[in-house]
Amino acid sequence: MTPTGPATGTLYARLRDWFRAHPLAFDATIASGTLVCMIAASFTDPHGSPEGPTFGDRAPDVWSVLIMIVGAAALVLRRRRPFAVLCFTVTICLFELVNDNRPAPIAMSAVVALYTVASRTDRPTTWRVGLVTMTLLTTAAMIFGPTSWYAQENLGVFAWTGMAAAAGDAVRSRRAFVDAIRERAERAERTREEEAGRRVAEERLRIARDLHDVVAHHIALVNVQAGVAAHVMDKRPDQAKEALAHVREASRSALDELRATVGLLRQSGDPEAPTEPAPGLAVLDGLLDSFRKAGLPVALARTDGDLPLPATVDLAAYRIVQEALTNVRKHAGPDAEAEVSVVRVGRTVEITVLDNGTPQPATVTDSGGHGLLGMRERVSALGGSLTTAPRYGGGFRVQAILPVTTRTGEDA
């Protein structure tokens, strides 16, 4: 690149930006250039000599110069009033062709006006306006012009008007194409941001659900066993020691699960990140034993044959049983008993938790915390259904139906 290359590019960019900021000045420049071209063409005689066109053998009269100035001046308003400017320039061009034996090349202003209309309207309008303009100017040139109807000047009027309409339509199409690409890019950027925000929100909800399930379950067990230990500490110290051992075991399990849940927020290369698999129905017996040790009799019925489930479905089923039994232990009374059933039906698995505790009002049970809300979010995320309602005669019923095939296509 030559040394003047960058400077030339910078000057061009500055001029372009300035003209974009001042469109009226750009239109005035176009009008001035068109006027110069019309005046220069008016000194040219295409049939001046047998060898070809000559320049300077003829000169335009004052009337023709005034007509050219008026036609060029109208182009200053070509963007604000494109149709009005086109009609005006075509009118004065027809007037010049009809009333002058040597008409000035005023058709140049009409060509520029037609290009402006074509670049700022739709294609059907361009076709109609362009066809009318070409017909009027070409017909007037053939009938009233000083040359034969088949002269090249008349065909030149037809060609220039047609090219102006085609060029304007091409510019409009390219501008619309660029705008569409820019809009798609902006929409894609907004979509990426919304998708990232949605994923962050879903991840926060998932972690909040896991923390709630872990903390609510183990703290409930710790609370029960601590109450038992305090109650029998003086009269039956052996039973108090056993209750405290259960408290220690529940707190250790809570710490392990909290460490595993919080570890999901670590970086993938962090050596302290957990490597244990997420809990599922394979360890359901251990979960039920922890409730039995806390004084809640729990019966289990399984007809799924211990068939493996997708990881997300397996975790959701485990958390639903955990949260439902925690609610039983907290709200159903000291004499409540629970039943858990896991049934495989076709391409779904049904998780049911029943208890016969003291009936609770539906509003209190359903809105007293985030447990049922978390279960609904888990089931809804997998495309399943959840039913929670008091049982006739006492107790409560929680039933979740989860699809074995998840929405992501993961199959058992």
Side-chain angles (χ1 to χ4, degrees):
M1 181 177 292
T2 60
T4 59
T8 304
T10 303
L11 178 61
Y12 170 76
R14 290 180 178 178
L15 288 175
R16 180 189 60 193
D17 296 338
W18 189 85
F19 277 128
R20 286 180 178 177
H22 304 82
L24 192 63
F26 180 77
D27 292 337
T29 304
I30 294 295
S32 301
T34 304
L35 177 61
V36 171
C37 292
M38 287 190 295
I39 293 178
S42 64
F43 283 93
T44 302
D45 187 0
H47 306 285
S49 66
E51 290 78 12
T54 59
F55 182 81
D57 292 343
R58 68 173 186 175
D61 55 17
V62 176
W63 175 253
S64 296
V65 173
L66 291 177
I67 288 292
M68 287 185 288
I69 293 175
V70 171
L75 296 180
V76 177
L77 304 176
R78 67 189 184 96
R79 296 199 212 188
R80 297 183 179 181
R81 296 289 188 87
F83 284 100
V85 171
L86 177 62
C87 293
F88 178 76
T89 53
V90 170
T91 300
I92 62 176
C93 185
L94 292 176
F95 182 80
E96 177 73 2
L97 288 172
V98 172
N99 292 277
D100 199 334
N101 292 329
R102 298 179 60 187
I106 190 64
M108 291 185 182
S109 61
V111 168
V112 176
L114 178 60
Y115 165 83
T116 304
V117 171
S119 64
R120 303 178 72 85
T121 58
D122 54 7
R123 181 164 295 173
T125 303
T126 299
W127 277 96
R128 291 193 293 266
V129 175
L131 184 61
V132 171
T133 303
M134 285 189 295
T135 302
L136 289 176
L137 295 182
T138 305
T139 302
M142 288 181 176
I143 296 176
F144 301 102
T147 59
S148 315
W149 66 270
Y150 55 84
Q152 63 180 1
E153 291 88 343
N154 303 331
L155 298 180
V157 172
F158 178 84
W160 278 105
T161 51
M163 286 189 295
D169 182 72
V171 169
R172 179 196 55 77
S173 299
R174 182 182 180 277
R175 188 183 297 127
F177 178 73
V178 172
D179 292 341
I181 292 178
R182 185 181 296 110
E183 181 182 359
R184 284 197 297 268
E186 294 175 354
R187 185 167 59 250
E189 184 66 23
R190 290 194 302 268
T191 303
R192 282 195 296 268
E193 293 177 356
E194 293 172 358
E195 180 67 16
R198 185 186 64 82
R199 291 184 178 181
V200 170
E202 289 182 353
E203 187 66 13
R204 290 177 59 187
L205 285 176
R206 187 186 65 80
I207 295 174
R209 286 195 300 265
D210 288 341
L211 289 175
H212 173 271
D213 293 342
V214 172
V215 172
H217 165 61
H218 290 290
I219 294 302
L221 297 182
V222 169
N223 182 49
V224 171
Q225 296 293 349
V228 172
H231 182 69
V232 301
M233 179 67 71
D234 296 331
K235 298 181 180 180
R236 286 177 287 181
D238 294 338
Q239 188 174 355
K241 291 181 180 180
E242 182 180 355
L244 291 176
H246 292 161
V247 169
R248 185 171 58 253
E249 181 181 353
S251 61
R252 184 185 303 112
S253 299
L255 289 175
D256 291 341
E257 291 202 38
L258 283 174
R259 187 180 300 110
T261 302
V262 176
L264 296 176
L265 302 177
R266 298 181 183 274
Q267 299 294 331
S268 59
D270 196 327
E272 297 183 4
T275 57
E276 297 82 2
L281 295 181
V283 293
L284 182 60
D285 292 333
L287 176 65
L288 301 186
D289 288 339
S290 66
F291 281 101
R292 295 188 185 107
K293 293 177 181 178
L296 175 64
V298 183
L300 174 63
R302 297 187 66 170
T303 62
D304 60 335
D306 294 334
L307 294 176
L309 297 174
T312 53
V313 178
D314 201 20
L315 176 61
Y318 179 88
R319 294 301 187 194
I320 289 170
V321 174
Q322 184 184 55
E323 180 60 30
L325 292 179
T326 300
N327 289 338
V328 173
R329 193 67 190 85
K330 291 166 59 178
H331 303 297
D335 299 328
E337 298 180 359
E339 299 178 6
V340 178
S341 65
V342 181
V343 181
R344 182 75 172 265
V345 180
R347 302 186 67 83
T348 62
V349 58
E350 297 182 4
I351 310 297
T352 305
V353 180
L354 307 174
D355 69 84
N356 60 353
T358 303
Q360 299 292 320
T363 56
V364 176
T365 303
D366 201 23
S367 61
H370 300 283
L372 294 182
L373 178 61
M375 284 193 285
R376 288 197 181 95
E377 290 174 350
R378 289 183 185 275
V379 173
S380 177
L382 296 174
S385 61
L386 178 70
T387 303
T388 59
R391 297 176 62 192
Y392 178 77
F396 202 78
R397 175 175 178 268
V398 176
Q399 183 181 39
I401 301 177
L402 304 176
V404 174
T405 303
T406 63
R407 288 179 176 178
T408 58
E410 184 182 6
D411 205 347

